[in-house]
Amino acid sequence: MEKLICANFEEFRLHKGNNLPDGDWITVTQEMINAFADATLDFQWIHIDVEKAKQHSPFKTPIAHGFMSISLVSKMLGDAIEIQSAKMGVNYGLNKVRFPHPVPVNSKVRLVGSIADIEDYGDTGLKITWQCTVEIQGVDKPACVAEFISLMFE
């Protein structure tokens, strides 16, 4: 993937409304799903019990937590864009989050997104609204669709 690199906020503002480069595919492994379950204390069998999922799940395999899909967006955005003058960024919130399709273990996911809005935030910051779709390789419906809002500071 070719990363969008901007020297500073001024240059970044020129990209408002533009699409981001399509992300690289990330394989969602059972180890990642188990680690997410450990971190969130969400141990529902559909995610972590491989044998039970094979027998009783309509998907016949474990699926990733829906919130794991949205949690990957921060990493995927960082892979897609760099603002060299930014000293730090933080997650601010989410709008209109949906999980249209489950992510079966060993699926590959990637970010397809755009820069929906850029607003000033205080004296040295920006509030950015990203339109994010987490695609699943070979599946028509996405894993996640959301407006993801972050703050960046110079």
Side-chain angles (χ1 to χ4, degrees):
M1 166 181 66
E2 190 166 321
K3 188 176 210 170
L4 174 61
I5 299 175
C6 298
N8 53 44
F9 284 179
E10 264 184 63
E11 184 181 336
F12 174 63
R13 287 178 190 277
L14 300 175
H15 294 279
K16 179 178 173 179
N18 293 351
N19 290 334
L20 296 169
D22 289 349
D24 290 332
W25 294 104
I26 298 170
T27 302
V28 177
T29 65
Q30 187 64 54
E31 291 77 20
M32 290 169 66
I33 294 169
N34 292 348
F36 192 85
D38 288 340
T40 61
L41 305 179
D42 181 351
F43 300 108
Q44 187 182 51
W45 66 265
I46 191 75
H47 306 303
I48 60 168
D49 190 330
V50 175
E51 291 308 313
K52 191 170 183 179
K54 284 180 185 176
Q55 293 176 10
H56 300 290
S57 164
F59 312 109
K60 300 301 178 197
T61 190
I63 59 170
H65 304 72
F67 286 117
M68 185 175 164
S69 300
I70 196 69
S71 295
L72 288 171
V73 169
S74 292
K75 185 246 187 294
M76 292 186 218
L77 282 171
D79 289 347
I81 187 164
E82 177 185 346
I83 303 171
Q84 294 172 326
S85 66
K87 291 187 175 76
M88 65 172 260
V90 294
N91 298 333
Y92 186 80
L94 299 161
N95 294 328
K96 304 176 188 174
V97 179
R98 297 292 180 269
F99 305 107
H101 197 281
V103 178
V105 68
N106 297 321
S107 294
K108 293 184 179 190
V109 297
R110 73 172 177 183
L111 176 68
V112 175
S114 64
I115 305 163
D117 198 18
I118 303 171
E119 304 171 58
D120 289 328
Y121 189 85
D123 293 335
T124 62
L126 295 178
K127 182 167 80 169
I128 305 145
T129 303
W130 312 89
Q131 185 57 51
C132 298
T133 300
V134 178
E135 292 185 329
I136 309 167
Q137 190 175 48
V139 177
D140 290 337
K141 288 185 179 181
C144 179
V145 178
E147 286 182 359
F148 188 92
I149 304 164
S150 63
L151 303 177
M152 286 194 193
F153 299 91
E154 282 186 317

